């Protein structure tokens, strides 16, 4: 195909350039990666649709997939890999959402990283220019051919076509690392799993399900730690919501890591997002709900709510320590939380019961992930409603 226009080259970078061949209703845009001469094809379908972009950051094995399953369920419909595509695709598509995994922007494959002595967490192993260009394209209603990092083979596979969805979730190690990508996000979440809990989850998954030894799990966590501290953890300062997962304070010197203290840290002043609160907005509350309406076995459940500051930002924090014995009784807790953005009384409880088999359903991880999912639905609906009224208001002016 003849390339008729080359544009935005200055806005792009030295490793990529963009070309287009416009026609009346559709045009094709190609992203080239200069160093490999690989072409990432982009088909512009229509600019009318507005894609809302959500970023979810966390280290590997910290519950991103579980959170994504809860989030896509709030929007209805099952999320599945692209039909007829690469069986090792990392993408999940449902009617409303497309979740892409940022591992697909690894610029170095497994061998390449080994040769260069860098981890996947190191920015040098990732192509942020391409990530930016493609997220930007999707956000403006343009389909892209996104690379695939194959976790089975450790290789970069042929790209897959991603159409602009209503809601695009970019999940992975670095959604808020690059300022340009960060600026494209309509809402961002960081899953902050403390080292003790991360270790317990890794053991559970990698030992029980993947046959790794305790020593190799410890070694892998240790090897990743310096890059995690340098490149992943600092992103939490930019997040609109942080779900922090810590060991319980209800059991003195607990080292089992089964009972968790989970904190939902919500930034104040984010457009279309009003933080959840307990009893009375802006107050400081400590609440033990166990009793006649909530069955609790040892060590019980404790909620806290308070205004606070987090990386110099004003935030509201709701905290839950402990775990539920009976999920159907969660309605009692739900009725004391406000600003949940539910569509009917009991929707949080209904969602939790629907996914009772997901990890974390009996504690604050599942509860807060579900609540953030509902807040994102609300944010999406407000954003879209606002966009559709904007042109007529402009016309009136
Ligand atoms: N809330 C939770 N409570 C207890 N365990 C959990 C929770 N969330 C996740 N886990 C454990 O961590 C493992 C990894 O979870 P998940 O696959 O959702 O994480 P991930 O961030 O998507 O991982 P990866 O990036 O490696 O694919 C699960 O198999 C489970 O054992
Ligand atoms: O941190 C990770 C994010 O999922 C992975 O370790 C990274 O993507 C490399 O994958 P693999 O270990 O399969 O080569």
């Amino acid at each position: 195909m003849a390339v008729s226009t080359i544009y935005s080259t200055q806005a792009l970078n030295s490793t990529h350039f963009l070309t287009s061949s416009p026609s009346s209703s559709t045009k094709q845009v190609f992203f080239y990666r200069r160093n490999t001469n690989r072409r990432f094809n982009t088909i512009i379908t229509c600019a009318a649709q507005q894609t809302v972009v959500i970023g979810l950051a966390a280290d590997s094995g910290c519950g991103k997939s579980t959170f994504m399953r809860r989030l896509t369920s709030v929007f209805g419909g099952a999320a599945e890999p692209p039909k007829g595509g690469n069986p090792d695709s990392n993408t999940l598509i449902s009617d409303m959402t497309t979740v892409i995994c940022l591992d697909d922007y690894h610029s170095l494959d497994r061998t390449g990283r080994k040769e260069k002595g860098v981890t996947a967490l190191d920015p040098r192993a990732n192509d942020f220019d391409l990530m930016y260009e493609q997220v930007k394209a999707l956000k403006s209603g343009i389909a892209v051919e996104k690379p695939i990092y194959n976790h089975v083979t450790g290789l970069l596979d042929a790209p897959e076509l991603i159409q602009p969805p209503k809601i695009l979730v970019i999940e992975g190690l670095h959604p808020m690392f690059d300022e340009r990508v960060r600026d494209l996000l309509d809402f961002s979440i960081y899953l902050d799993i403390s080292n003790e809990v991360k270790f317990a989850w890794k053991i559970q998954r990698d030992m029980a399900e993947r046959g790794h030894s305790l020593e190799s799990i410890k070694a892998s966590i240790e090897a990743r730690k310096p890059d995690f501290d340098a490149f992943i953890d600092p992103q939490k300062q930019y997040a609109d919501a942080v779900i922090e997962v810590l060991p319980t304070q209800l059991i003195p010197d607990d080292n089992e890591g089964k009972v968790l203290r989970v904190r939902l840290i919500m930034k104040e002043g984010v457009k279309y997002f009003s933080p959840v609160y307990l009893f009375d907005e802006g107050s400081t509350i400590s609440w033990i709900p166990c009793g006649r309406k909530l069955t609790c076995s040892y060590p019980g459940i404790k909620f806290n709510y308070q205004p606070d500051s987090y990386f110099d930002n004003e935030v509201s924090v709701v905290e839950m320590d402990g775990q539920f014995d009976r999920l159907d009784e969660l309605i009692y807790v739900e009725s004391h939380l406000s600003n949940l953005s539910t569509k009917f009384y009991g929707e949080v409880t209904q969602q939790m019961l629907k996914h009772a088999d997901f990890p974390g359903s009996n504690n604050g991880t599942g509860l807060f992930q579900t609540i953030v999912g509902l807040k994102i639905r609300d944010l999406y609906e407000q954003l879209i409603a606002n966009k559709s009224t904007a042109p007529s208001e402009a016309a009136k002016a």
Side-chain angles (χ1 to χ4, degrees):
M1 180 181 165
V3 168
S4 54
T5 321
I6 297 182
Y7 67 99
S8 301
T9 46
Q10 299 92 324
L12 296 168
N13 56 79
S14 59
T15 54
H16 301 93
F17 61 99
L18 197 62
T19 65
S20 91
S21 172
S23 73
S24 56
S25 57
T26 64
K27 27 186 185 166
Q28 283 207 307
V29 177
F30 304 113
F31 293 109
Y32 290 86
R33 191 177 277 167
R34 281 197 211 275
N35 50 357
T36 60
N37 278 335
R38 281 178 74 181
R39 190 179 77 182
F40 294 95
N41 199 356
T42 295
I43 299 158
I44 298 182
T45 42
C46 152
Q49 183 180 326
Q50 170 74 33
T51 293
V52 172
V53 187
I54 309 293
L56 172 66
D59 197 2
S60 153
C62 286
K64 295 185 297 292
S65 315
T66 311
F67 187 9
M68 283 304 100
R69 287 194 291 160
R70 287 191 199 278
L71 174 70
T72 49
S73 161
V74 165
F75 287 97
E80 286 168 356
K83 285 202 174 59
N86 185 330
D88 295 328
S89 166
N90 302 307
T91 302
L92 285 174
I93 300 176
S94 70
D95 289 349
M96 295 284 289
T97 62
T98 291
V99 181
I100 61 172
C101 175
L102 297 180
D103 295 351
D104 288 333
Y105 293 99
H106 290 337
S107 51
L108 295 175
D109 63 11
R110 207 174 281 157
T111 313
R113 293 196 301 270
K114 211 169 177 183
E115 280 169 3
K116 292 217 158 54
V118 294
T119 71
L121 301 91
D122 191 313
R124 287 172 297 171
N126 294 280
D127 189 339
F128 288 102
D129 296 326
L130 187 63
M131 188 192 294
Y132 165 62
E133 286 152 17
Q134 295 206 332
V135 174
K136 188 173 170 218
L138 286 167
K139 188 168 171 127
S140 23
I142 301 168
V144 303
E145 286 209 333
K146 178 189 62 54
I148 297 175
Y149 177 72
N150 188 323
H151 281 281
V152 180
T153 61
L155 298 170
L156 295 162
D157 284 353
E160 63 186 354
L161 181 68
I162 305 290
Q163 296 288 352
K166 293 197 168 77
I167 300 156
L168 173 71
V169 184
I170 58 169
E171 62 95 352
L173 298 169
H174 305 100
M176 284 99 88
F177 180 83
D178 183 288
E179 194 181 351
R180 297 164 304 168
V181 179
R182 198 161 70 227
D183 286 347
L184 293 172
L185 301 176
D186 293 294
F187 194 75
S188 55
I189 308 125
Y190 185 90
L191 299 183
D192 188 6
I193 315 296
S194 66
N195 286 334
E196 300 93 318
V197 176
K198 201 189 281 187
F199 189 54
W201 288 1
K202 274 256 175 210
I203 289 176
Q204 185 186 317
R205 183 181 70 171
D206 294 355
M207 257 176 105
E209 296 168 24
R210 298 186 179 175
H212 296 183
S213 70
L214 187 63
E215 283 317 306
S216 72
I217 297 169
K218 271 189 194 160
S220 132
I221 291 181
E222 280 311 308
R224 290 169 72 96
K225 192 149 186 334
D227 281 355
F228 174 79
D229 291 343
F231 308 119
I232 312 303
D233 194 60
Q235 292 175 92
K236 64 190 181 196
Q237 67 188 290
Y238 305 116
D240 297 315
V242 175
I243 298 180
E244 198 175 84
V245 185
L246 303 150
T248 182
Q249 288 183 336
L250 299 174
I251 307 171
D253 302 319
D254 174 65
N255 49 18
E256 263 198 80
K258 288 215 171 103
V259 182
L260 301 173
R261 179 164 76 102
V262 187
R263 305 177 80 225
L264 175 57
I265 302 164
M266 297 159 284
K267 214 181 248 177
E268 297 286 348
V270 176
K271 203 167 182 197
Y272 306 125
F273 173 72
S274 52
V276 173
Y277 63 90
L278 184 62
F279 293 105
D280 197 16
E281 192 169 15
S283 58
T284 296
I285 306 274
S286 182
W287 182 45
I288 296 177
C290 306
R292 283 193 206 158
K293 294 180 181 160
L294 193 77
T295 315
C296 298
S297 52
Y298 179 79
I301 297 178
K302 189 173 176 188
F303 276 86
N304 280 304
Y305 163 66
Q306 64 187 79
D308 207 339
S309 68
Y310 186 78
F311 290 98
D312 293 335
N313 291 307
E314 260 186 60
V315 294
S316 281
V317 183
V318 179
E319 174 181 318
M320 174 185 162
D321 196 348
Q323 52 193 33
F324 301 111
D325 281 9
R326 294 188 43 175
L327 263 192
D328 55 332
E329 291 175 348
L330 179 62
I331 188 76
Y332 175 60
V333 171
E334 180 175 349
S335 63
H336 288 81
L337 290 163
S338 299
N339 259 353
L340 287 170
S341 301
T342 47
K343 290 207 187 280
F344 54 88
Y345 177 68
E347 191 177 14
V348 172
T349 307
Q350 188 199 60
Q351 280 294 327
M352 290 284 281
L353 283 166
K354 192 166 152 195
H355 301 301
D357 56 330
F358 286 8
S361 288
N362 65 345
N363 63 37
T365 57
L367 176 63
F368 294 150
Q369 286 177 5
T370 303
I371 290 174
V372 172
L374 294 167
K375 299 301 294 182
I376 289 174
R377 181 183 65 188
D378 186 45
L379 177 128
Y380 165 77
E381 288 174 357
Q382 290 187 60
L383 243 158
I384 293 305
N386 198 279
K387 285 262 150 41
S388 61
T389 54
S392 55
E393 275 169 21
K396 270 189 256 157

